[in-house]
Amino acid sequence: MNTRVTETIFSSADMVIPMSSVQHIEKYMKDGTLTGIKIITDKTKWNFQYDTWENPIYLSSHDNHAESFLKAFCNYIAERDGMTESPIYKEKETTLSDMLSACCCEIKKCSRDEETEGKDHE
């Protein structure tokens, strides 16, 4: 299948993230509230001693970096996979949590939202 992706790199004033390096995205929760996302790339290292990622890319929901990245990433996945439209643009998706669910769970066929509500998406 010959597909053309219009944008393969997410960039903002202070970061550049190649979309093809993204392995998965995790919710970052603080005191039960979704405060941002952790982007796990092919360069991210798992620390077995502390049972956590050592160098994920963190994007905060407070400055809209997380939302901007998710929109761009969903468009990238949709174009790469030949979808006619990205699921993130459904009218009901407005919050970061909804966007993350649409992007990660609809495109990647994940069904973990019900069982991981309120927890990190691992």
Side-chain angles (χ1 to χ4, degrees):
M1 182 158 128
N2 187 9
T3 58
R4 175 168 271 176
V5 178
T6 56
E7 192 67 45
T8 59
I9 296 175
F10 172 78
S11 63
S12 67
D14 56 352
M15 73 185 76
V16 175
I17 303 170
M19 304 278 195
S20 62
S21 294
V22 175
Q23 290 186 351
H24 70 277
I25 300 167
E26 295 182 354
K27 294 176 183 178
Y28 184 77
M29 308 292 285
K30 186 170 184 178
D31 299 325
T33 303
L34 181 63
T35 61
I37 59 174
K38 292 188 279 186
I39 301 169
I40 310 306
T41 70
D42 56 357
K43 306 294 186 229
T44 305
K45 181 180 175 188
W46 182 257
N47 185 318
F48 289 96
Q49 180 179 357
Y50 294 103
D51 198 31
T52 190
W53 296 108
E54 282 191 357
N55 56 342
I57 300 168
Y58 173 75
L59 297 179
S60 172
S61 61
H62 300 294
D63 54 12
N64 293 328
H65 277 134
E67 290 88 348
S68 297
F69 174 80
L70 284 174
K71 285 179 185 177
F73 186 68
C74 282
N75 285 334
Y76 166 77
I77 295 295
E79 288 179 352
R80 185 195 70 188
D81 293 349
M83 298 171 74
T84 56
E85 66 179 30
S86 171
I88 206 162
Y89 290 113
K90 293 179 181 176
E91 286 185 28
K92 66 176 183 165
E93 274 82 44
T94 55
T95 67
L96 177 61
S97 183
D98 289 337
M99 289 171 62
L100 188 59
S101 295
C103 185
C104 294
C105 293
E106 286 191 31
I107 291 176
K108 296 183 180 186
K109 307 297 186 227
C110 170
S111 60
R112 298 182 300 175
D113 267 357
E114 293 80 29
E115 58 194 66
T116 61
E117 192 61 38
K119 300 176 186 172
D120 278 353
H121 214 73
E122 297 176 357

